Amino acid sequence: MPRLIPFEEITHLFADFEHTAFRLETRRGYATDRAGARFQAFMRGTAPIPEPDHPWNVNVRAKAEQGAQFSRVRIIDEPPTDGQRFLMATAEGNISAGEDIRVLPRAEAGRLELPDTDFWLFDSRTLVRMHIDTTDTTIGVELVADPAEVLAACRTRDAALAAARPSAEVWAQVRSSV
């Protein structure tokens, strides 16, 4: 069993990385989103309003000003789940702050043999594997030091980014088909 630590113990990495922070999101939804008022409003038909002053977006802008890049690929089902639709609907604020968010159909992720585990990869050398339970709740994270696993995450990142499409483009298609 891997040694899990609380997510809070790695949050400094979001401010400390120098060049790149990449996230692979594989879940069909996240418990923290479903518990929030924005998600509940979204489910009632209210479009999420961007939050430029949210600490996440403030940090993304600050890192972008330093020349660093946040990016993520979200694996989505076809059709997307409510949780995936919510993430695409809220991506606008993150993108405006400077984050590159793309989506990849789950079938394509399978064809590329991408892992089904969420992770963060900082500066192509620090891998943080997310451990998420069946309720979509993060129960801890694992700092991975094995160079082979870090290299595999780098390859996953490169394949996912190359195959994925911009979130805004996919979200426009999803909205028009509803």
Side-chain angles (χ1 to χ4, degrees):
M1 178 72 176
R3 181 180 173 283
L4 298 185
I5 60 174
F7 182 81
E8 293 74 23
E9 289 188 25
I10 62 95
T11 57
H12 66 92
L13 293 171
F14 297 101
D16 294 348
F17 80 94
E18 296 176 31
H19 306 288
T20 60
F22 171 79
R23 168 83 186 262
L24 180 68
E25 292 183 352
T26 65
R27 307 295 292 193
R28 289 176 169 86
Y30 295 89
T32 53
D33 291 336
R34 289 191 299 270
R38 289 178 86 201
F39 182 84
Q40 298 304 318
F42 175 75
M43 293 306 296
R44 291 189 303 273
T46 302
I49 298 169
E51 300 175 322
D53 295 327
H54 187 281
W56 177 262
N57 292 325
V58 170
N59 185 57
V60 168
R61 275 193 306 279
K63 294 304 288 187
E65 289 169 6
Q66 297 168 9
Q69 173 69 49
F70 276 94
S71 62
R72 70 176 78 209
V73 170
R74 292 177 167 148
I75 296 174
I76 62 167
D77 295 287
E78 295 180 304
T81 66
D82 290 339
Q84 293 163 346
R85 288 177 38 256
F86 174 74
L87 289 171
M88 285 189 282
T90 58
E92 178 185 334
N94 298 55
I95 294 166
S96 294
E99 191 172 351
D100 176 13
I101 301 177
R102 303 178 196 188
V103 296
L104 183 66
R106 192 167 303 280
E108 179 67 7
R111 188 187 69 71
L112 293 170
E113 298 180 359
L114 299 183
D116 62 356
T117 306
D118 284 32
F119 67 81
W120 276 101
L121 179 64
F122 297 93
D123 292 329
S124 300
R125 65 177 176 254
T126 303
L127 175 60
V128 177
R129 189 173 294 129
M130 314 289 288
H131 287 261
I132 302 171
D133 69 15
T134 57
T135 68
D136 301 316
T137 301
T138 300
I139 57 172
V141 299
E142 172 189 4
L143 275 171
V144 179
D146 178 13
E149 290 189 58
V150 173
L151 179 58
C154 290
R155 289 182 175 143
T156 293
R157 174 201 57 210
D158 295 347
L161 284 170
R165 294 174 41 212
S167 182
E169 177 184 309
V170 175
W171 179 230
Q173 290 176 332
V174 168
R175 280 192 322 234
S176 70
S177 67
V178 178

